[in-house]
Amino acid sequence: MAAPAAARDAWDAARAGGTHLLMRHAVAPGTGDPADVTLGDCSTQRNLSEAGRQQAERIGRKLVENGVAIDVVLTSQWCRARDTAERLGFRPVKDEPALNSFFAGRGDRAEQTEALKQRIAEFDAAGRKAAMVSHQVNITALTGVYPASGEIVVIRLGKDGGISVEGQIRTD
């Protein structure tokens, strides 16, 4: 059975030059994190479930099967995002603090969103495609999209500094 036109268009957008993949981490049951959360200490954070780990690996395979070339994977420093990024199977995987969650006042929405746009501009200037693993609040702030766990939002940075959504890929 053929994929619906919107799904084919989203994969075409993912393969296109000048686009980047902004992805919510895979399934991590619950909402938010404990008050004593510490970056680098996964025992203090909400983490991927077994289904989430499998989902992240499946997403990596789908990217390869659909011919999406990725030059670098940027990730939030939160364990669930890093685990998702590593399980995609692309290298290198690099920490990007601008992708860290700012849910519940844990970061600076405006500052991080601008920093992320700058990183995207750097990749555009170098002709490189990035996959970026982040959190719902960050993705919604940048795009207006409320992504499901593991959902990919294909984005493009315009000459005016605005972000356009070129497609959405549900991965479950």
Side-chain angles (χ1 to χ4, degrees), residues 26-29 47-55 80 83 87:
V27 175
N47 294 292
L48 297 184
S49 63
E50 180 58 31
R53 290 187 288 276
Q54 291 174 10
Q55 180 187 30
R80 60 187 171 271
D83 196 12
R87 289 174 180 276

Side-chain angles (χ1 to χ4, degrees), residues 80-155:
R80 60 187 171 271
R82 171 160 277 292
D83 196 12
T84 298
E86 290 174 350
R87 289 174 180 276
L88 294 175
F90 294 91
R91 301 290 179 263
V93 174
K94 297 182 178 184
D95 285 348
E96 176 51 62
L99 293 168
N100 287 351
S101 177
F102 47 74
F103 182 75
R106 290 200 165 98
D108 185 308
R109 173 186 171 154
E111 183 179 299
Q112 287 175 240
T113 300
E114 280 309 307
L116 188 54
K117 286 181 182 181
Q118 284 290 28
R119 283 292 271 154
I120 293 168
E122 292 168 11
F123 286 116
D124 285 351
R128 300 179 75 206
K129 183 181 294 287
M132 299 167 279
V133 182
S134 193
H135 306 268
Q136 175 270 310
V137 292
N138 302 65
I139 295 168
T140 302
L142 190 66
T143 66
V145 172
Y146 191 106
S149 295
E151 184 172 351
I152 298 168
V153 181
V154 183
I155 61 171

Side-chain angles (χ1 to χ4, degrees), residues 2 76 158:
S76 159

Side-chain angles (χ1 to χ4, degrees), residues 3-15:
R8 287 192 309 270
D9 291 347
W11 284 110
D12 288 343
R15 286 186 291 272

